[in-house]
Amino acid sequence: FEPGQEHKLHSHEGMDKVYHVLEGSGVFTLETEELPMKAGIMLVAPEGVAHGIRNTGSERLVVLAVLAPAPG
């Protein structure tokens, strides 16, 4: 994500989403809560929970996003 770029709130049915921050900084939104993102942090959006990310830094925000079936 370039500075200022974002992935607006959305959710996934049947899947959890994990973000591992590789470079940069930003904000992870989980429903109405905003959490800081920085290199080395891992964040989880459980199935059906609205989430999004926004690059609030001055450099590129690089994340590895993994979607996995939610425990059933």
Side-chain angles (χ1 to χ4, degrees):
F1 293 79
E2 298 299 332
Q5 190 175 11
E6 69 179 316
H7 194 183
K8 295 193 182 285
L9 285 176
H10 64 285
S11 63
H12 304 275
E13 293 304 320
M15 292 188 197
D16 295 331
K17 190 170 190 179
V18 177
Y19 291 97
H20 180 69
V21 184
L22 302 175
E23 297 176 17
S25 61
V27 173
F28 176 71
T29 303
L30 191 62
E31 293 192 322
T32 60
E33 185 177 1
E34 290 194 341
L35 303 166
M37 301 178 81
K38 64 179 184 176
I41 298 289
M42 188 172 286
L43 302 149
V44 178
E47 170 193 14
V49 177
H51 59 281
I53 63 176
R54 182 173 70 252
N55 183 344
T56 58
S58 59
E59 300 191 9
R60 183 175 285 167
L61 171 63
V62 180
V63 298
L64 173 66
V66 178
L67 289 164

